[in-house]
Amino acid sequence: MSDIVFNALEHQTLAHLNKVQVMGILNVTPDSFSDGGKFSNIDDALKQVELMLENGVDIIDIGGESTRPGAVDVTTTDEINRVIPLLKAIKSRFDISVSIDTSKSVVMDEAISCGADMINDVYALQNSGCIDVIAQSDVSVCLMHMQGKPRTMQSNPHYKNLIEDIINFFKQRIHCCEQKGINKERIILDPGFGFGKTLAHNYQMLAQFPLFKQLNLPLLAGTSRKSMIGNLLKREVDERLAGSLTTAVVAVQQGASIIRVHDVKETVDAINVLKAIAEQIN
């Protein structure tokens, strides 16, 4: 067993592991697949932020609109009312980087003006006005790949060549960003686990995750509690911790720089174990 662990880690440097960041998910929506409604109240949300900070989180990712399959669209006004007061409260109370998970240019603009450090966009800045808002700022941006749209993305997703198709999509979006003056150093890439992918697609992406490194940009992996774990293991959302941790560990071993999770404490523990092993190898 030790040989298997060592072989999995031998290509990873301790320097890489020390740079891996844990992004804690904070959904302020009534209908998110895992924690919908739990943090709609700002006081409850702030308590969750404080807990994640105690557990070693590096980035807080606030979401005001669910992107689960079949999710209902949210108006710009409703999303702003959910996200912006919490963003202001976090930035006034805590020293922590905050990402806003949104695909609306107006929400992006308001969030950036209120201190957001990153925009996390499942549409990769393809919606109207989004790329211009980012171009006029200095924040980081995470571009995610998604086939289709949240309501229909899981209806028979199909690819000619999964990894190649995603890489070509990223190349096109990176080019569009650079054409608008967005420095490549500000870009993070997320291949989009669960977004227009079958169960087999998701595990192929995880197995071949290092192929995305050819783009020479930081990679984000978000597998936490997703159906790729539930459907494989036949586990409900609240029974997916073991699967979530396993995919997080593999993603880190495969070169992910940011791990987006619900379970911050357990994920930080798992990464610290990887670091301890790497210290003995490197």
Side-chain angles (χ1 to χ4, degrees), residues 166-181:
I166 295 173
I167 288 174
N168 287 337
F169 169 82
F170 280 144
K171 287 180 177 178
Q172 183 265 337
R173 295 312 301 155
I174 292 166
H175 176 72
C176 289
C177 285
E178 291 185 313
Q179 289 291 101
K180 287 286 188 174

Side-chain angles (χ1 to χ4, degrees), residues 28-33 63-76 78-79 82 104 123 149-153:
V28 287
T29 56
D31 58 345
S32 291
F33 81 95
E65 178 176 14
S66 175
T67 51
R68 63 177 174 78
V72 177
D73 292 338
V74 172
T75 67
T76 299
D78 283 347
E79 190 173 344
R82 291 174 180 178
K104 297 183 178 71
Y123 285 93
K149 296 184 178 181
R151 286 191 179 185
T152 59
M153 63 187 176

